[in-house]
Amino acid sequence: MAEAERIIGTPDTPEAAGGGQERPDAEQEQLPERPRGKRRIAVLFAVAAFAYALDLVSKMIVVAKLEHQEPIEVVGDWLRFVAIRNAGAAFGFGEAFTVIFTVIAAAVIVVIARLARKLYSLPWAIALGMLLGGALGNLTDRIFRAPGVFEGAVVDFIAPKHFAVFNLADSAIVCGGILIVILSFRGLDPDGTVHKD
């Protein structure tokens, strides 16, 4: 009987019983309190869908109206719209690694989808939504545009003076990344907890 009580953790004395009841309370005091509220998955996917749709529509217009045409000057020669095909990463870097960038974009999407399960912070939902929408936008080009699946060239068209040509998906990725850095510096975690180091 004593051996069975030892295995299942039943205390032998009332003092031990009191000690056993105090341990969970002590452990609970050490654990940080989790924020209450709804998960922000809907916000994440709404922002992602908006960023993705905006990028997709803009690229369709650029391919239909601007490709093989003269650049359009928006603000003199400081900002122009010119259609180019970019086989590299954001802002035209690394054209020899198209397949690698495709794999990275797919991995980012998977990580964000997994992180969404414990997402309670609205700012994090917006930031991750921008990242997700941008990654999906450029990944769509990689998969469906020439020269082939997973090697497709991304459509870029925003051309500021003395800067690389980019698209709205690149902008969403950069804005989402900047917001994540700010949130991290402020100590806000995706689950809504705030910590100060």
Side-chain angles (χ1 to χ4, degrees):
M1 182 69 178
E3 182 65 18
E5 289 176 345
R6 186 187 66 78
I7 292 172
I8 62 173
T10 305
D12 293 323
T13 61
E15 291 82 7
Q21 290 174 354
E22 288 175 2
R23 262 182 99 180
D25 293 339
E27 289 175 1
Q28 286 177 1
E29 288 174 6
Q30 293 174 358
L31 293 175
E33 186 178 342
R34 293 291 177 189
R36 294 173 182 161
K38 295 181 180 178
R39 285 191 293 178
R40 302 298 184 176
I41 298 175
V43 174
L44 186 155
F45 287 115
V47 171
F50 178 75
Y52 177 72
L54 205 59
D55 179 67
L56 187 63
V57 169
S58 68
K59 288 174 179 173
M60 290 171 63
I61 293 171
V62 166
V63 170
K65 303 292 185 182
L66 193 57
E67 203 164 35
H68 310 299
Q69 304 294 327
E70 290 296 318
I72 297 174
E73 292 187 351
V74 180
V75 184
D77 63 347
W78 288 96
L79 178 63
R80 300 185 306 162
F81 288 164
V82 53
I84 68 164
R85 299 293 181 113
N86 171 20
F91 308 112
F93 299 113
E95 293 190 6
F97 304 101
T98 305
V99 175
I100 294 174
F101 294 131
T102 304
V103 172
I104 291 172
V108 167
I109 292 168
V110 171
V111 169
I112 292 173
R114 289 176 59 89
L115 191 58
R117 293 180 299 176
K118 58 177 184 177
L119 185 63
Y120 287 87
S121 166
L122 181 59
W124 269 96
I126 294 170
L128 292 175
M130 288 191 287
L131 276 181
L132 181 59
L136 284 171
N138 284 339
L139 185 61
T140 300
D141 282 359
R142 303 277 186 212
I143 294 173
F144 295 107
R145 296 196 188 276
V149 177
F150 300 121
E151 297 180 351
V154 173
V155 175
D156 288 336
F157 63 94
I158 304 171
K161 189 175 183 179
H162 305 308
F163 196 72
V165 184
F166 59 97
N167 58 41
L168 295 181
D170 297 333
S171 301
I173 291 169
V174 170
C175 291
I178 291 171
L179 182 53
I180 286 173
V181 170
I182 293 171
L183 294 173
S184 298
F185 271 114
R186 296 187 65 180
L188 179 61
D189 290 336
D191 65 0
T193 56
V194 179
H195 61 84
K196 295 182 180 180
D197 296 331

